[in-house]
Amino acid sequence: MSSIIENRQITVGVTGSIAAYKIVDVVSKLVQQGAVVDVAMTSAAVNFISPLTFQSITGREPYVDMWGVHGVKGEAHIELARRTELMLIAPATASTMASLAHGFADDFVTLTALATKAPLLISPAMDSQMWDHDATQINLNLLQERGAHFIGPEQGRLASGQIGTGRLAESQKIIATIKSCLGKLEGDLTGKTVMVTAGGTREAIDPVRYIGNRSSGKMGNALAEAARDRGADVVLITTVPETAPEAVEVVAVESASEMEVAVSDHLERSEVLIMAAAVADYRVDQASEQKIKREHAKNIDLKLVPNNDIIASIATDIVKVAFAAETEDLIDNAKKKLLDKNVNLIVANNVTGEMSGFGSDTNIITILDDRGQIEELPVLSKYSCAMEILDRISDRLGS
Ligand SMILES: Cc1cc2nc3c(=O)[nH]c(=O)nc-3n(C[C@H](O)[C@H](O)[C@H](O)COP(=O)(O)O)c2cc1C
């Protein structure tokens, strides 16, 4: 499965911020993932980073001088603006934000931004006092009202040594937002909300200990990422929020009952529910309020009571996908789950294999559906497995 950004025409506008060097990494990653990247620079940006750096990474001549001929027959900025599918301005200075907000077009970056119909992503970077200034905040509002998407700025250590808001967003966040934006332009899940659960639930024994399982959350994360890349609005309900992909809505939970509440809260807005989380079948009946102390040579009895089967108890007419992680009789157990849980698809995997299951970056899955079809897939990355599952969901949605 090729990347959503492969062969896509992305223009990156670089402006005169101290954070300009960081955008080299973003441009490099976009190129590595197959995007066709053109870089436009303001004259201030050239003081911070050389056009040669971008030329070497993209294999294309950066656009710096708007009075240059640039080897095209017509006007270079119009030609660039027309073929651009998405324009990222990063780092965006306060000055460039002001120009963009008020329609000034006196350098290659603002000129192209004014001429293009492509979505505009802006990733500002500046000192916190500049960011907090009324002028910048008013420009931010104006640009947002006109549909520009902002990534950051983040809070953290600034070039001045102060801590505040103004740091350029991390590369991976910028790239994730580009993918999400491109997905929404023509992805088959655009306009749909996909709810995904991920990770293993934790059932408290006392405030310190819990009963857990070996799920890493990688399959759920891959599903959330793939759905995002196909244009969906993604709600990821997860026990491992720290590993969640960027540009998805994350709801952090711990126990099966917390997960059940979160799923129910987001059900009405969702067209799809994929339960990739490993939800505990049982919880401790009465978790101790205080840490249980060790008493020598004494056994402890924990009474376990069943948790609700979250997906089986959902009556709403949405596409429902469950997972069957098994160690034996994979297909028979999966067929039984398909009926018991009343779902459209079951994704079965044998969690004892080396290339599949918990913690692995690959998976070997068999997809069973409620029309009697059984499809065994080869070893694939979890992202590719997610794409295969989403292909079948997309068919159900008629998208
Ligand atoms: C050392 C130095 C660092 C700067 N860093 C920033 C910055 O991070 N963000 C910002 O908005 N302006 C910064 N500026 C100011 C801009 O470079 C200046 O406003 C410039 O005119 C912006 O031009 P441009 O938006 O056309 O690139 C910096 C200036 C200097 C001298």
Side-chain angles (χ1 to χ4, degrees), residues 213-230:
N213 60 65
R214 295 181 199 278
S215 170
S216 63
K218 283 186 178 176
M219 192 60 235
N221 287 347
L223 279 156
E225 199 178 338
R228 174 202 74 195
D229 292 352
R230 292 168 77 141

Side-chain angles (χ1 to χ4, degrees), residues 30-201:
L30 291 174
V31 171
Q32 282 171 43
Q33 292 179 39
V36 180
V37 184
D38 280 296
V39 173
M41 302 176 76
T42 62
S43 49
V46 174
N47 290 309
F48 293 91
I49 189 142
S50 161
L52 184 62
T53 306
F54 291 118
Q55 170 144 353
S56 309
I57 288 171
T58 62
R60 302 165 76 82
E61 190 187 339
Y63 294 81
V64 181
D65 175 11
M66 69 183 204
W67 306 113
V69 285
H70 228 285
V72 290
K73 284 194 185 123
E75 298 154 293
H77 62 282
I78 298 294
E79 188 270 334
L80 179 61
R82 285 206 179 126
R83 66 181 157 80
T84 293
E85 290 178 81
L86 179 142
M87 184 164 185
L88 165 74
I89 302 187
T93 58
S95 170
T96 289
M97 276 179 61
S99 295
L100 293 168
H102 298 283
F104 290 113
D106 48 11
D107 57 57
F108 228 114
V109 175
T110 49
L111 186 56
T112 310
L114 199 62
T116 191
K117 289 202 166 105
L120 187 60
L121 291 183
I122 301 174
S123 204
M126 64 196 72
D127 194 73
S128 56
Q129 278 164 243
M130 292 169 76
W131 176 251
D132 290 338
H133 197 286
D134 282 351
T136 308
Q137 290 300 309
I138 287 166
N139 292 333
L140 165 71
N141 289 338
L142 275 173
L143 288 163
Q144 280 177 325
E145 275 166 23
R146 288 212 300 269
H149 307 267
F150 276 79
I151 318 167
E154 311 284 346
Q155 232 215 351
R157 190 183 182 282
L158 305 170
S160 62
Q162 306 280 322
I163 305 292
T165 302
R167 258 178 90 83
L168 184 71
E170 294 298 326
S171 298
Q172 57 182 23
K173 187 168 185 178
I174 295 176
I175 290 168
T177 312
I178 289 174
K179 288 182 177 174
S180 159
C181 217
L182 286 172
K184 285 198 185 340
L185 284 183
E186 54 182 51
D188 57 351
L189 298 177
T190 304
K192 309 287 185 204
T193 299
V194 174
M195 182 167 25
V196 181
T197 65
T201 58

Side-chain angles (χ1 to χ4, degrees), residues 295-325:
E295 287 183 49
H296 283 289
K298 267 201 171 178
N299 291 341
I300 288 181
D301 290 323
L302 288 177
K303 185 179 170 200
L304 300 181
V305 292
N307 281 322
N308 277 345
D309 188 333
I310 300 177
I311 203 161
S313 53
I314 289 170
T316 352
D317 188 21
I318 59 171
V319 178
K320 291 187 280 179
V321 181
F323 273 68

Side-chain angles (χ1 to χ4, degrees), residues 357-391:
F358 302 132
S360 164
D361 289 326
T362 55
N363 212 349
I364 305 171
I365 57 169
T366 303
I367 304 177
L368 295 84
D369 73 12
D370 53 358
R371 297 166 183 160
Q373 229 185 348
I374 301 179
E375 292 172 273
E376 217 173 304
L377 301 180
V379 184
L380 293 170
S381 69
K382 285 190 169 168
Y383 185 84
S384 297
C385 286
M387 283 296 191
E388 292 284 345
I389 296 163
L390 292 172
D391 283 347

